[in-house]
Amino acid sequence: MAASASSTFSQSLLSRAIPNHSAAAHNSALPPHSLSFLSAVKPSLPSARAATSSSRRRSTRSSSSCAVVRAAAVETLQKTDTELVDKSVNTIRFLAIDAVEKANSGHPGLPMGCAPMGHILYDEVMRYNPKNPYWFNRDRFVLSAGHGCMLQYALLHLAGYDAVREEDLKQFRQWGSKTPGHPENFETPGVEVTTGMDWKPFSLLNHGLLLVSPFAVGPLGQGIANAVGLALAEKHLAARYNKPDAEIVDHYTYVILGDGCQMEGIANEACSLAGHWGLGKLIAFYDDNHISIDGDTEIAFTENVDARFEALGWHVIWVKNGNNGYDEIRAAIEEAKAVKDKPTMIKVTTTIGFGSPNKANSYSVHGAALGTKEVEATRQNLGWPYEPFHVPEDVKKHWSRHTPEGAALEAEWNAKFAEYSKKYPEEAAELKSITTGEFPSGWESALPTYTPESAADATRNLSQQNLNALATVLPGFLGGSADLASSNMTLMKAYGDFQKSTPEERNLRFGVREHGMGAICNGIALHSPGFVPYCATFFVFTDYMRGAMRISALSEAGVIYVMTHDSIGLGEDGPTHQPIEHLASFRAMPNIFMFRPADGNETAGAYKIAVENRKTPSILALSRQKLPQLPGTSIEGVAKGGYVISDNSTGNKPDVILAGTGSELEIAAKAGDELRKEGKAVRVVSLVSWELYEKQSDEYKESVFPAGVTARVSIEAATTFGWQKFVGDKGKAIGIDKFGASAPAGKIYKEYGLTVEAVIEAAKSFF
């Protein structure tokens, strides 16, 4: 682990010549000692693909890609002979095979093909401490093609991570296990981010037959985008805190992605930014196996990936023999590390399901267990005489060194940081805040407060005041917008732009890349607990980044989503820009706070909760139009999610309860004032965050919405879906259950019935 390599760059300068690819070449996907076995076990190639059209297209395949390479090992493995490496790689393959077989569910093909690059990364290259998966200066690894998670679990197991013991491997994909069906950072220490694909059943009626088949849906591409965020975080911290005599931040981000990741648009968004930013410590391994769920990728994916990444500003290397070309992989990593000013993509041509005599190089090994007979055939083919889940003693002994080496690496860094702290106490305190998540004492006092006499303003402008206040007290606070900073009001005025030449700055310019932006912020948030990343666009464009936002919630990444232009109140831009169903959709999403603040105090309160909750992301839906600073609103009230802002009733028995959020809370408050003039007891409630309100005690909820009061009216410039929970069967919800329109905001509100008069009329229907 982490030894230096001495092979020359010439070893890794690989030919780009177009090879011949024939059926005979396909057979070389199996080790030489197994070829005699093929006479008894005939490979079953998927249709005629292997010998016809794919052989003509695949300029990236090498006819010798699967031959065993016996070149002298580079310095990284002087103490490890090739035979032991072969044995270690096959251990990884069979741990994956055995776990998938036991579960009768999973994806064995990728681990079988990627085992060599995984072995070299975890055994020779990466710096980590198995007994402290959260050591700050560790190298990060992301398996973007997360369906192949048994590769990572096998590597974590061999490296000595306590989270993945033999019993955990045997519980792969089972209830409560540390080895779920895709990598999940919140379940398995050692896994940095949540990645992969979800499997869902679907049925298809075809010629009268009901077919049932697995169907994969996202989030492929999220992992590589998260990795961009991780690499950005490293570059940013290094620029801010490294000194000429103290390089305290120095780690790499490695990622394995597959053809599916390459096809997803989010990957291109994020990789475009990685090239623009010059993230030189990001090294991506592209598992170039040409197989996806539907079969050979030639049916839908024939682009020149190398040329695309070169155009994106990446350094590109091609390893033709990813199956057992260990020295080629080592040399490629060495070359990648030497390139400091741009990220590197190492295209590693592999055979999916390597070693399986009947299923290798076919989609049948992608997402299903091999089956008892094929497992036995693969054991014979690769000369593997061991029982399931067995790790040979010499392999176990070889990998056992990572525990003491990892502890030594961390101890060395801790001593280095102690010296750094003496020389640079201010910088050390800031860095410690970011690495531990311990914010400076009293940081929340920086948040602005407002009174009813304060000027009316759009909550997007009030948000900018809060952002700039937080930037002065939170060292890990950074973020930006999807090319809308001047409209979202998200620039931090004290800082410049994070760019290739100015990575110490804190304003991130994402360009028009909402999906990539969200996933990159997830990576930043998960890099270190004291990072507080935010990102911004129009609320309606959350449709473009919903996948990343869902992963924020799932992976407990406390990103702050600053979403402006929150309703029909944006006016003339029309229905394409006017969110209707979006509030309801995020209120339905687990582990995310959906805030719609009504004024300055509620905006500040939303930011306070968002910063405090590092494992729950927050969305702030903010107005374009000016709103008054309402009497009765408070930062403390926001923490309750729903609270009373005005009430002239006694005994917790109002005649009617009026509830609203955002810009419509003013309408509810004005309606309440008018009804009180007529002698009515009226309670006005702000429901700024439904999620926080649901966390309150039953006693508190009764104090806000007493069960005995059924006269309730809600108003919100969005779908009425969900409001029945609060207004009840007898209450009335005023909202919009159709798309918006293009007109000045006041006109649209009147035409859609979002008025004080409408609330008063609804309330009087109860009297």
Side-chain angles (χ1 to χ4, degrees):
M1 171 170 50
S4 62
S6 62
S7 62
T8 64
F9 288 146
S10 62
Q11 289 178 285
S12 62
L13 298 178
L14 306 173
S15 170
R16 297 294 200 268
I18 299 176
N20 294 321
H21 183 65
S22 63
H26 168 75
N27 289 345
S28 69
L30 305 175
H33 70 261
S34 70
L35 294 181
S36 60
F37 184 73
L38 293 178
S39 60
V41 182
K42 183 179 179 181
S44 177
L45 303 181
S47 69
R49 170 187 49 78
T52 55
S53 59
S54 66
S55 66
R56 291 193 297 270
R57 178 184 64 79
R58 289 184 185 165
S59 61
T60 56
R61 283 281 196 188
S62 168
S63 60
S64 61
S65 66
C66 304
V68 175
V69 176
R70 297 288 180 180
V74 294
E75 188 175 312
T76 51
L77 264 193
Q78 283 186 340
K79 58 185 177 183
T80 309
D81 59 31
T82 304
E83 183 178 351
L84 183 54
V85 175
D86 282 337
K87 200 170 186 180
S88 177
V89 168
N90 280 335
T91 301
I92 297 166
R93 287 178 175 136
F94 279 98
L95 287 176
I97 290 170
D98 295 337
V100 172
E101 196 66 24
K102 186 176 187 298
N104 193 29
S105 175
H107 303 72
L110 183 146
M112 295 167 73
C114 291
M117 66 179 97
H119 166 89
I120 290 170
L121 277 174
Y122 270 82
D123 189 50
E124 303 176 27
V125 176
M126 287 173 54
R127 295 162 56 90
Y128 56 86
N129 181 3
K131 300 307 176 185
N132 181 10
Y134 305 108
W135 168 45
F136 165 71
N137 207 39
R138 69 192 182 277
D139 288 333
R140 271 70 169 176
F141 173 77
V142 174
L143 184 62
S144 189
H147 54 279
C149 57
M150 266 311 305
L151 170 70
Q152 190 168 13
Y153 297 151
L155 291 166
L156 293 173
H157 174 65
L158 291 175
Y161 283 77
D162 294 332
V164 188
R165 302 180 185 275
E166 180 178 336
E167 185 57 32
D168 297 301
L169 296 178
K170 292 179 178 178
Q171 292 301 307
F172 178 54
R173 290 190 160 220
Q174 304 308 301
W175 177 265
S177 77
K178 293 294 183 183
T179 50
H182 293 87
E184 295 172 358
N185 63 291
F186 54 91
E187 290 285 2
T188 314
V191 170
E192 302 288 351
V193 299
T194 296
T195 62
M197 296 185 296
D198 298 321
W199 284 79
K200 297 180 179 179
F202 79 101
S203 60
L204 173 67
L205 193 62
N206 185 18
H207 299 293
L209 298 176
L210 183 65
L211 308 176
V212 180
S213 173
F215 180 68
V217 294
L220 283 175
Q222 292 281 343
I224 178 62
N226 292 167
V228 172
L230 292 169
L232 180 153
E234 192 279 340
K235 183 168 184 172
H236 176 68
L237 294 179
R240 281 176 67 178
Y241 299 112
N242 284 350
K243 303 294 183 180
D245 62 341
E247 190 176 36
I248 202 69
V249 180
D250 176 25
H251 49 267
Y252 282 82
T253 300
Y254 299 96
V255 57
I256 292 178
L257 68 158
D259 288 305
C261 297
Q262 295 284 21
M263 295 183 218
E264 291 282 6
I266 185 176
N268 198 70
E269 288 184 19
C271 290
S272 174
L273 281 166
H276 170 74
W277 287 327
L279 301 181
K281 287 189 174 179
L282 173 61
I283 300 176
F285 295 80
Y286 166 31
D287 178 26
D288 174 45
N289 66 36
H290 295 275
I291 297 293
S292 62
I293 292 173
D294 277 352
D296 195 300
T297 55
E298 68 179 358
I299 63 176
F301 187 60
T302 55
E303 69 181 46
N304 187 331
V305 174
D306 303 44
R308 173 160 62 92
F309 270 74
E310 287 172 354
L312 292 176
W314 287 56
H315 181 63
V316 178
I317 307 170
W318 182 17
V319 172
K320 293 183 179 180
N321 176 15
N323 294 322
N324 41 38
Y326 308 130
D327 285 348
E328 293 181 40
I329 297 172
R330 294 180 181 115
I333 296 171
E334 181 186 10
E335 179 180 335
K337 284 191 167 187
V339 177
K340 306 295 186 182
D341 62 341
K342 58 179 65 177
T344 296
M345 185 193 76
I346 304 174
K347 182 176 70 174
V348 186
T349 299
T350 66
T351 300
I352 190 171
F354 178 87
S356 170
N358 297 296
K359 294 186 177 182
N361 198 36
S362 73
Y363 61 86
S364 61
V365 77
H366 182 285
L370 293 177
T372 303
K373 291 184 178 179
E374 189 65 13
V375 170
E376 181 58 30
T378 305
R379 274 182 155 74
Q380 294 183 47
N381 192 34
L382 292 177
W384 195 252
Y386 305 103
E387 294 296 315
F389 299 101
H390 181 78
V391 178
E393 285 303 317
D394 48 352
V395 173
K396 187 181 298 184
K397 181 179 179 181
H398 174 72
W399 279 83
S400 67
R401 76 189 193 284
H402 291 296
T403 295
E405 285 184 5
L409 284 170
E410 182 174 357
E412 179 185 358
W413 187 86
N414 287 340
K416 190 175 182 180
F417 185 71
E419 288 299 313
Y420 179 91
S421 299
K422 294 176 183 178
K423 292 182 179 180
Y424 309 104
E426 184 177 339
E427 290 91 337
E430 286 188 359
L431 182 57
K432 185 178 179 181
S433 175
I434 294 172
T435 61
T436 64
E438 297 174 2
F439 297 143
S441 178
W443 65 268
E444 64 277 4
S445 64
L447 292 168
T449 57
Y450 305 84
T451 69
E453 290 70 41
S454 301
D457 208 345
T459 51
R460 62 170 175 168
N461 294 333
L462 300 168
S463 166
Q464 186 176 48
Q465 296 172 18
N466 281 268
L467 285 174
N468 279 275
L470 290 171
T472 65
V473 293
L474 298 178
F477 194 75
L478 77 170
S481 174
D483 200 49
L484 288 167
S486 60
S487 191
N488 297 143
M489 311 305 289
T490 48
L491 281 179
M492 290 180 284
K493 297 176 182 179
Y495 301 99
D497 293 341
F498 177 99
Q499 295 289 352
K500 186 175 184 178
S501 59
T502 56
E504 71 279 4
E505 299 293 352
R506 290 160 70 175
N507 285 301
L508 305 180
R509 302 287 192 168
F510 290 104
V512 190
R513 300 182 182 93
E514 288 90 352
H515 201 177
M517 173 177 70
I520 289 170
C521 283
N522 285 340
I524 297 171
L526 294 171
H527 181 278
S528 294
F531 268 124
V532 185
Y534 67 88
C535 60
T537 186
F538 292 175
F539 190 33
V540 75
F541 297 149
T542 54
D543 288 338
Y544 282 83
M545 60 195 295
R546 188 172 299 271
M549 296 174 80
R550 184 176 188 272
I551 293 298
S552 293
L554 178 63
S555 60
E556 300 177 350
V559 177
I560 301 176
Y561 291 95
V562 183
M563 303 289 106
T564 67
H565 297 62
D566 68 331
S567 71
I568 59 171
L570 66 89
E572 292 85 348
D573 278 343
T576 60
H577 284 53
Q578 294 169 359
I580 301 298
E581 74 281 12
H582 299 71
L583 286 167
S585 70
F586 286 112
R587 287 165 177 163
M589 186 178 287
N591 193 42
I592 197 165
F593 293 138
M594 179 69 251
F595 294 99
R596 191 162 181 253
D599 62 4
N601 286 328
E602 289 203 339
T603 301
Y607 271 107
K608 182 176 184 292
I609 296 296
V611 170
E612 288 174 341
N613 287 272
R614 294 293 74 231
K615 292 188 176 183
T616 299
S618 296
I619 307 169
L620 279 68
L622 305 168
S623 74
R624 179 191 184 190
Q625 72 272 33
K626 289 185 177 181
L627 305 177
Q629 310 298 337
L630 297 172
T633 61
S634 68
I635 291 175
E636 297 74 23
V638 173
K640 298 290 189 180
Y643 65 106
V644 178
I645 69 164
S646 66
D647 188 7
N648 66 327
S649 68
T650 58
N652 201 28
K653 294 180 180 180
D655 295 326
V656 65
I657 300 173
L658 309 180
T661 72
S663 49
E664 292 74 64
L665 186 60
E666 176 194 6
I667 296 175
K670 287 182 175 179
D673 290 341
E674 293 300 317
L675 289 167
R676 289 176 189 131
K677 291 177 183 178
E678 299 180 14
K680 300 301 181 183
V682 183
R683 175 174 295 173
V684 179
V685 173
S686 170
L687 271 172
V688 58
S689 170
W690 293 14
E691 300 78 28
L692 286 173
Y693 179 76
E694 289 299 330
K695 291 177 179 291
Q696 306 311 309
S697 67
D698 290 341
E699 291 76 13
Y700 178 79
K701 292 177 184 178
E702 175 66 16
S703 74
V704 177
F705 286 102
V709 180
T710 59
R712 304 178 184 183
V713 180
S714 69
I715 181 167
E716 187 172 61
T719 177
T720 58
F721 185 85
W723 273 101
Q724 188 179 35
K725 177 188 296 186
F726 301 105
V727 301
D729 293 337
K730 297 181 180 180
K732 295 188 177 182
I734 299 172
I736 306 172
D737 292 314
K738 58 183 177 180
F739 291 118
S742 180
K747 178 66 172 177
I748 303 177
Y749 267 75
K750 182 177 181 180
E751 293 294 331
Y752 278 68
L754 297 166
T755 63
V756 172
E757 293 75 18
V759 176
I760 293 173
E761 181 182 355
K764 286 185 174 181
S765 70
F766 297 111
F767 306 147

